[in-house]
Short mmCIF file of all heavy atoms in Angstrom, two decimals:
data_model
loop_
_atom_site.label_atom_id
_atom_site.label_comp_id
_atom_site.label_asym_id
_atom_site.label_seq_id
_atom_site.Cartn_x
_atom_site.Cartn_y
_atom_site.Cartn_z
N ASN I 255 -22.35 -27.74 4.76
CA ASN I 255 -22.17 -29.16 4.69
C ASN I 255 -21.22 -29.56 3.54
O ASN I 255 -21.27 -30.68 2.98
CB ASN I 255 -23.53 -29.84 4.44
CG ASN I 255 -24.39 -29.73 5.65
OD1 ASN I 255 -23.97 -29.90 6.80
ND2 ASN I 255 -25.70 -29.35 5.46
N ALA I 256 -20.28 -28.72 3.22
CA ALA I 256 -19.38 -29.02 2.08
C ALA I 256 -17.89 -29.24 2.64
O ALA I 256 -17.00 -29.09 1.84
CB ALA I 256 -19.39 -27.83 1.14
N GLY I 257 -17.80 -29.63 3.88
CA GLY I 257 -16.42 -29.93 4.33
C GLY I 257 -16.49 -30.93 5.44
O GLY I 257 -17.48 -31.03 6.19
N TYR I 258 -15.32 -31.53 5.66
CA TYR I 258 -15.19 -32.54 6.75
C TYR I 258 -13.92 -32.31 7.47
O TYR I 258 -12.95 -31.81 6.90
CB TYR I 258 -15.21 -33.95 6.20
CG TYR I 258 -16.43 -34.16 5.40
CD1 TYR I 258 -16.48 -33.91 3.98
CD2 TYR I 258 -17.68 -34.59 6.03
CE1 TYR I 258 -17.66 -34.01 3.33
CE2 TYR I 258 -18.83 -34.72 5.26
CZ TYR I 258 -18.79 -34.39 3.93
OH TYR I 258 -19.99 -34.51 3.25
N LEU I 259 -13.83 -32.68 8.77
CA LEU I 259 -12.54 -32.72 9.49
C LEU I 259 -12.32 -34.11 9.90
O LEU I 259 -13.14 -34.65 10.72
CB LEU I 259 -12.63 -31.78 10.68
CG LEU I 259 -11.48 -31.74 11.65
CD1 LEU I 259 -10.11 -31.44 10.87
CD2 LEU I 259 -11.63 -30.68 12.75
N VAL I 260 -11.27 -34.81 9.34
CA VAL I 260 -11.00 -36.15 9.70
C VAL I 260 -10.00 -36.20 10.77
O VAL I 260 -8.89 -35.48 10.68
CB VAL I 260 -10.48 -36.92 8.47
CG1 VAL I 260 -10.35 -38.40 8.78
CG2 VAL I 260 -11.39 -36.71 7.26
N THR I 261 -10.20 -36.98 11.83
CA THR I 261 -9.33 -36.92 12.97
C THR I 261 -9.11 -38.43 13.47
O THR I 261 -9.95 -39.28 13.12
CB THR I 261 -9.88 -36.07 14.09
OG1 THR I 261 -9.05 -36.09 15.19
CG2 THR I 261 -11.28 -36.51 14.50
N THR I 262 -8.04 -38.64 14.20
CA THR I 262 -7.78 -39.97 14.69
C THR I 262 -7.77 -40.01 16.19
O THR I 262 -7.22 -39.04 16.81
CB THR I 262 -6.34 -40.37 14.13
OG1 THR I 262 -6.41 -40.40 12.76
CG2 THR I 262 -5.99 -41.84 14.64
N VAL I 263 -8.18 -41.10 16.82
CA VAL I 263 -8.15 -41.21 18.29
C VAL I 263 -6.72 -41.55 18.65
O VAL I 263 -6.09 -42.46 18.19
CB VAL I 263 -9.08 -42.38 18.73
CG1 VAL I 263 -8.97 -42.59 20.23
CG2 VAL I 263 -10.53 -42.06 18.33
N LEU I 264 -6.17 -40.73 19.58
CA LEU I 264 -4.81 -40.88 20.10
C LEU I 264 -4.72 -41.67 21.33
O LEU I 264 -3.75 -42.35 21.66
CB LEU I 264 -4.15 -39.48 20.29
CG LEU I 264 -3.85 -38.67 19.08
CD1 LEU I 264 -3.20 -37.35 19.50
CD2 LEU I 264 -2.98 -39.34 18.08
N ASP I 265 -5.81 -41.54 22.17
CA ASP I 265 -5.80 -42.27 23.48
C ASP I 265 -7.20 -42.33 23.98
O ASP I 265 -8.11 -41.49 23.59
CB ASP I 265 -4.90 -41.59 24.47
CG ASP I 265 -4.59 -42.30 25.68
OD1 ASP I 265 -4.70 -43.64 25.62
OD2 ASP I 265 -4.21 -41.77 26.71
N THR I 266 -7.49 -43.24 24.85
CA THR I 266 -8.80 -43.27 25.62
C THR I 266 -8.43 -43.41 27.10
O THR I 266 -7.41 -44.04 27.45
CB THR I 266 -9.61 -44.43 25.20
OG1 THR I 266 -8.97 -45.74 25.45
CG2 THR I 266 -10.01 -44.40 23.69
N LEU I 267 -9.23 -42.82 27.94
CA LEU I 267 -9.05 -42.83 29.36
C LEU I 267 -10.38 -42.64 30.08
O LEU I 267 -11.35 -42.48 29.38
CB LEU I 267 -8.04 -41.86 29.90
CG LEU I 267 -8.28 -40.35 29.68
CD1 LEU I 267 -7.52 -39.61 30.68
CD2 LEU I 267 -7.78 -39.93 28.31
N LYS I 268 -10.37 -42.80 31.37
CA LYS I 268 -11.54 -42.74 32.11
C LYS I 268 -11.44 -41.88 33.35
O LYS I 268 -10.36 -41.85 33.95
CB LYS I 268 -11.85 -44.19 32.65
CG LYS I 268 -13.32 -44.63 32.57
CD LYS I 268 -13.40 -46.10 32.90
CE LYS I 268 -14.81 -46.51 33.38
NZ LYS I 268 -15.86 -46.29 32.39
N ASN I 269 -12.44 -41.02 33.63
CA ASN I 269 -12.45 -40.27 34.89
C ASN I 269 -13.76 -40.46 35.50
O ASN I 269 -14.69 -39.93 35.08
CB ASN I 269 -12.13 -38.78 34.56
CG ASN I 269 -12.17 -37.97 35.84
OD1 ASN I 269 -12.58 -38.42 36.88
ND2 ASN I 269 -11.60 -36.74 35.76
N GLY I 270 -13.77 -41.34 36.57
CA GLY I 270 -15.08 -41.60 37.22
C GLY I 270 -15.93 -42.34 36.17
O GLY I 270 -15.47 -43.35 35.57
N ASP I 271 -17.12 -41.79 35.96
CA ASP I 271 -18.02 -42.50 34.96
C ASP I 271 -17.80 -41.96 33.56
O ASP I 271 -18.53 -42.40 32.67
CB ASP I 271 -19.46 -42.15 35.38
CG ASP I 271 -19.90 -42.84 36.65
OD1 ASP I 271 -19.25 -43.84 36.97
OD2 ASP I 271 -20.83 -42.33 37.34
N THR I 272 -16.84 -41.07 33.36
CA THR I 272 -16.71 -40.46 32.05
C THR I 272 -15.62 -41.12 31.24
O THR I 272 -14.49 -41.18 31.65
CB THR I 272 -16.40 -38.95 32.20
OG1 THR I 272 -17.37 -38.36 33.08
CG2 THR I 272 -16.35 -38.22 30.93
N ASP I 273 -16.03 -41.68 30.11
CA ASP I 273 -15.02 -42.19 29.13
C ASP I 273 -14.69 -41.01 28.27
O ASP I 273 -15.44 -40.27 27.80
CB ASP I 273 -15.64 -43.30 28.26
CG ASP I 273 -15.66 -44.62 29.05
OD1 ASP I 273 -14.58 -45.12 29.39
OD2 ASP I 273 -16.77 -45.10 29.40
N ILE I 274 -13.33 -40.96 28.08
CA ILE I 274 -12.70 -39.87 27.37
C ILE I 274 -11.95 -40.36 26.21
O ILE I 274 -11.23 -41.45 26.32
CB ILE I 274 -11.86 -39.02 28.32
CG1 ILE I 274 -12.61 -38.42 29.45
CG2 ILE I 274 -11.12 -37.90 27.52
CD1 ILE I 274 -11.87 -38.03 30.63
N ALA I 275 -11.94 -39.70 25.03
CA ALA I 275 -11.08 -39.96 23.93
C ALA I 275 -10.34 -38.67 23.54
O ALA I 275 -10.92 -37.62 23.46
CB ALA I 275 -11.82 -40.49 22.68
N ILE I 276 -9.03 -38.79 23.50
CA ILE I 276 -8.14 -37.73 23.05
C ILE I 276 -7.96 -37.86 21.53
O ILE I 276 -7.48 -38.82 21.08
CB ILE I 276 -6.81 -37.69 23.76
CG1 ILE I 276 -6.98 -37.82 25.29
CG2 ILE I 276 -6.05 -36.43 23.31
CD1 ILE I 276 -7.45 -36.64 25.97
N LEU I 277 -8.35 -36.78 20.78
CA LEU I 277 -8.23 -36.82 19.34
C LEU I 277 -6.99 -36.05 18.89
O LEU I 277 -6.41 -35.28 19.68
CB LEU I 277 -9.47 -36.18 18.69
CG LEU I 277 -10.77 -36.72 19.20
CD1 LEU I 277 -12.00 -35.90 18.57
CD2 LEU I 277 -10.90 -38.20 18.95
N ASP I 278 -6.65 -36.23 17.63
CA ASP I 278 -5.48 -35.43 17.12
C ASP I 278 -5.86 -34.04 16.58
O ASP I 278 -5.09 -33.38 16.04
CB ASP I 278 -4.64 -36.24 16.15
CG ASP I 278 -5.30 -36.58 14.88
OD1 ASP I 278 -6.50 -36.18 14.66
OD2 ASP I 278 -4.72 -37.23 13.99
N MET I 279 -7.12 -33.69 16.80
CA MET I 279 -7.63 -32.33 16.48
C MET I 279 -7.96 -31.69 17.73
O MET I 279 -8.27 -32.33 18.76
CB MET I 279 -8.75 -32.34 15.45
CG MET I 279 -10.03 -33.10 15.92
SD MET I 279 -11.14 -32.31 17.11
CE MET I 279 -11.81 -31.03 16.09
N SER I 280 -7.94 -30.35 17.68
CA SER I 280 -8.26 -29.51 18.83
C SER I 280 -9.50 -28.64 18.59
O SER I 280 -9.59 -27.96 17.53
CB SER I 280 -7.06 -28.66 19.20
OG SER I 280 -7.45 -27.44 19.88
N ALA I 281 -10.44 -28.65 19.58
CA ALA I 281 -11.60 -27.74 19.38
C ALA I 281 -11.14 -26.29 19.37
O ALA I 281 -11.61 -25.48 18.61
CB ALA I 281 -12.60 -28.02 20.48
N ALA I 282 -10.18 -26.01 20.27
CA ALA I 282 -9.74 -24.59 20.41
C ALA I 282 -9.08 -24.11 19.14
O ALA I 282 -9.18 -22.91 18.78
CB ALA I 282 -8.83 -24.48 21.63
N CYS I 283 -8.32 -25.00 18.44
CA CYS I 283 -7.55 -24.58 17.37
C CYS I 283 -8.28 -24.77 16.03
O CYS I 283 -8.14 -24.04 15.09
CB CYS I 283 -6.27 -25.35 17.28
SG CYS I 283 -5.19 -25.09 18.81
N HIS I 284 -8.98 -25.85 15.94
CA HIS I 284 -9.43 -26.35 14.54
C HIS I 284 -10.97 -26.18 14.35
O HIS I 284 -11.44 -26.17 13.24
CB HIS I 284 -9.03 -27.70 14.34
CG HIS I 284 -7.54 -27.94 14.50
ND1 HIS I 284 -6.97 -29.06 15.10
CD2 HIS I 284 -6.52 -27.12 14.25
CE1 HIS I 284 -5.68 -28.96 15.15
NE2 HIS I 284 -5.35 -27.73 14.62
N THR I 285 -11.68 -26.06 15.49
CA THR I 285 -13.11 -25.76 15.34
C THR I 285 -13.49 -24.75 16.45
O THR I 285 -14.35 -25.02 17.31
CB THR I 285 -13.93 -27.03 15.56
OG1 THR I 285 -13.75 -27.59 16.89
CG2 THR I 285 -13.69 -28.13 14.48
N PRO I 286 -12.87 -23.56 16.44
CA PRO I 286 -13.05 -22.58 17.49
C PRO I 286 -14.47 -22.22 17.69
O PRO I 286 -14.85 -21.92 18.82
CB PRO I 286 -12.17 -21.42 17.07
CG PRO I 286 -11.83 -21.65 15.61
CD PRO I 286 -11.88 -23.04 15.33
N ASP I 287 -15.33 -22.29 16.64
CA ASP I 287 -16.69 -21.92 16.89
C ASP I 287 -17.50 -22.86 17.79
O ASP I 287 -18.51 -22.57 18.35
CB ASP I 287 -17.41 -21.80 15.56
CG ASP I 287 -17.35 -20.41 14.90
OD1 ASP I 287 -16.71 -19.65 15.51
OD2 ASP I 287 -17.96 -20.23 13.81
N VAL I 288 -16.95 -24.10 17.99
CA VAL I 288 -17.48 -25.06 18.85
C VAL I 288 -17.47 -24.49 20.26
O VAL I 288 -18.44 -24.60 21.08
CB VAL I 288 -16.81 -26.40 18.77
CG1 VAL I 288 -17.14 -27.32 19.98
CG2 VAL I 288 -17.09 -27.12 17.52
N ILE I 289 -16.42 -23.76 20.57
CA ILE I 289 -16.31 -23.19 21.92
C ILE I 289 -16.89 -21.76 21.89
O ILE I 289 -17.50 -21.32 22.91
CB ILE I 289 -14.79 -23.12 22.34
CG1 ILE I 289 -14.27 -24.56 22.48
CG2 ILE I 289 -14.54 -22.33 23.59
CD1 ILE I 289 -12.84 -24.71 22.65
N GLU I 290 -16.67 -20.98 20.82
CA GLU I 290 -17.07 -19.57 20.82
C GLU I 290 -18.55 -19.42 20.63
O GLU I 290 -19.18 -18.53 21.28
CB GLU I 290 -16.41 -18.94 19.64
CG GLU I 290 -16.04 -17.52 19.83
CD GLU I 290 -15.26 -16.99 18.59
OE1 GLU I 290 -14.01 -17.29 18.55
OE2 GLU I 290 -15.89 -16.39 17.72
N MET I 291 -19.25 -20.24 19.76
CA MET I 291 -20.66 -20.00 19.38
C MET I 291 -21.56 -20.20 20.57
O MET I 291 -22.34 -19.27 20.82
CB MET I 291 -20.99 -20.83 18.19
CG MET I 291 -22.42 -20.56 17.83
SD MET I 291 -22.54 -20.36 16.05
CE MET I 291 -24.30 -20.04 15.81
N PRO I 292 -21.54 -21.26 21.38
CA PRO I 292 -20.97 -22.61 21.08
C PRO I 292 -21.95 -23.47 20.36
O PRO I 292 -23.11 -23.14 20.32
CB PRO I 292 -20.76 -23.15 22.47
CG PRO I 292 -21.82 -22.53 23.34
CD PRO I 292 -22.22 -21.23 22.69
N TYR I 293 -21.40 -24.53 19.70
CA TYR I 293 -22.30 -25.45 19.02
C TYR I 293 -21.71 -26.83 19.05
O TYR I 293 -20.55 -26.98 19.37
CB TYR I 293 -22.68 -24.99 17.64
CG TYR I 293 -21.68 -25.43 16.62
CD1 TYR I 293 -21.99 -26.37 15.59
CD2 TYR I 293 -20.46 -24.81 16.49
CE1 TYR I 293 -21.10 -26.69 14.62
CE2 TYR I 293 -19.45 -25.14 15.46
CZ TYR I 293 -19.84 -26.10 14.59
OH TYR I 293 -18.98 -26.48 13.63
N ARG I 294 -22.50 -27.83 18.71
CA ARG I 294 -22.05 -29.20 18.66
C ARG I 294 -21.97 -29.63 17.17
O ARG I 294 -22.99 -29.78 16.49
CB ARG I 294 -23.08 -30.04 19.36
CG ARG I 294 -22.86 -31.56 19.40
CD ARG I 294 -24.07 -32.21 20.00
NE ARG I 294 -24.13 -33.61 19.62
CZ ARG I 294 -23.59 -34.58 20.30
NH1 ARG I 294 -22.98 -34.30 21.51
NH2 ARG I 294 -23.68 -35.84 19.93
N PRO I 295 -20.75 -29.92 16.68
CA PRO I 295 -20.69 -30.24 15.24
C PRO I 295 -21.19 -31.69 15.00
O PRO I 295 -21.06 -32.52 15.85
CB PRO I 295 -19.18 -30.20 14.94
CG PRO I 295 -18.48 -30.36 16.25
CD PRO I 295 -19.45 -29.80 17.36
N PRO I 296 -21.83 -31.89 13.93
CA PRO I 296 -22.26 -33.32 13.60
C PRO I 296 -21.03 -34.19 13.42
O PRO I 296 -20.06 -33.81 12.81
CB PRO I 296 -23.05 -33.17 12.31
CG PRO I 296 -22.76 -31.70 11.74
CD PRO I 296 -22.20 -30.99 12.90
N LEU I 297 -21.13 -35.41 13.83
CA LEU I 297 -20.15 -36.43 13.72
C LEU I 297 -20.60 -37.65 13.04
O LEU I 297 -21.63 -38.25 13.61
CB LEU I 297 -19.47 -36.70 15.08
CG LEU I 297 -18.45 -37.79 15.16
CD1 LEU I 297 -17.18 -37.41 14.28
CD2 LEU I 297 -18.05 -38.07 16.62
N TYR I 298 -20.08 -38.04 11.95
CA TYR I 298 -20.57 -39.19 11.20
C TYR I 298 -20.69 -40.46 11.98
O TYR I 298 -19.75 -40.80 12.78
CB TYR I 298 -19.63 -39.43 10.00
CG TYR I 298 -20.01 -40.52 9.09
CD1 TYR I 298 -21.26 -40.51 8.49
CD2 TYR I 298 -19.15 -41.59 8.88
CE1 TYR I 298 -21.64 -41.55 7.59
CE2 TYR I 298 -19.53 -42.66 7.98
CZ TYR I 298 -20.78 -42.64 7.40
OH TYR I 298 -21.14 -43.63 6.52
N LYS I 299 -21.77 -41.16 11.89
CA LYS I 299 -22.06 -42.46 12.62
C LYS I 299 -21.98 -42.31 14.13
O LYS I 299 -21.40 -43.21 14.86
CB LYS I 299 -21.10 -43.49 12.10
CG LYS I 299 -21.57 -44.09 10.79
CD LYS I 299 -20.87 -45.36 10.48
CE LYS I 299 -21.50 -46.14 9.33
NZ LYS I 299 -20.61 -47.19 8.80
N SER I 300 -22.43 -41.23 14.71
CA SER I 300 -22.39 -41.07 16.17
C SER I 300 -23.78 -40.66 16.63
O SER I 300 -24.67 -40.30 15.82
CB SER I 300 -21.41 -39.98 16.63
OG SER I 300 -22.01 -38.69 16.33
N GLY I 301 -23.98 -40.77 17.89
CA GLY I 301 -25.33 -40.35 18.48
C GLY I 301 -25.09 -39.41 19.60
O GLY I 301 -23.99 -39.06 20.00
N GLU I 302 -26.24 -38.92 20.17
CA GLU I 302 -26.18 -38.07 21.40
C GLU I 302 -25.57 -38.90 22.47
O GLU I 302 -25.55 -40.17 22.49
CB GLU I 302 -27.57 -37.62 21.73
CG GLU I 302 -28.28 -36.76 20.72
CD GLU I 302 -27.66 -35.44 20.60
OE1 GLU I 302 -27.23 -34.88 21.61
OE2 GLU I 302 -27.57 -34.86 19.49
N LYS I 303 -25.27 -38.18 23.51
CA LYS I 303 -24.73 -38.86 24.75
C LYS I 303 -25.77 -39.90 25.19
O LYS I 303 -26.96 -39.66 25.34
CB LYS I 303 -24.63 -37.78 25.84
CG LYS I 303 -24.17 -38.25 27.16
CD LYS I 303 -24.07 -37.03 28.12
CE LYS I 303 -23.54 -37.44 29.44
NZ LYS I 303 -23.35 -36.32 30.34
N GLY I 304 -25.29 -41.18 25.40
CA GLY I 304 -26.19 -42.20 25.89
C GLY I 304 -27.05 -42.86 24.83
O GLY I 304 -27.76 -43.89 25.06
#
Side-chain angles (χ1 to χ4, degrees):
N255 294 315
Y258 304 91
L259 175 55
V260 188
T261 178
T262 300
V263 175
L264 295 179
D265 193 21
T266 60
L267 62 154
K268 223 174 157 61
N269 180 343
D271 291 337
T272 308
D273 280 296
I274 298 160
I276 310 286
L277 310 178
D278 65 1
M279 57 80 68
S280 153
C283 301
H284 306 142
T285 61
D287 272 2
V288 165
I289 294 171
E290 212 176 280
M291 183 133 177
Y293 85 110
R294 175 189 162 91
L297 175 62
Y298 181 59
K299 278 196 168 160
S300 76
E302 296 292 322
K303 181 180 183 175

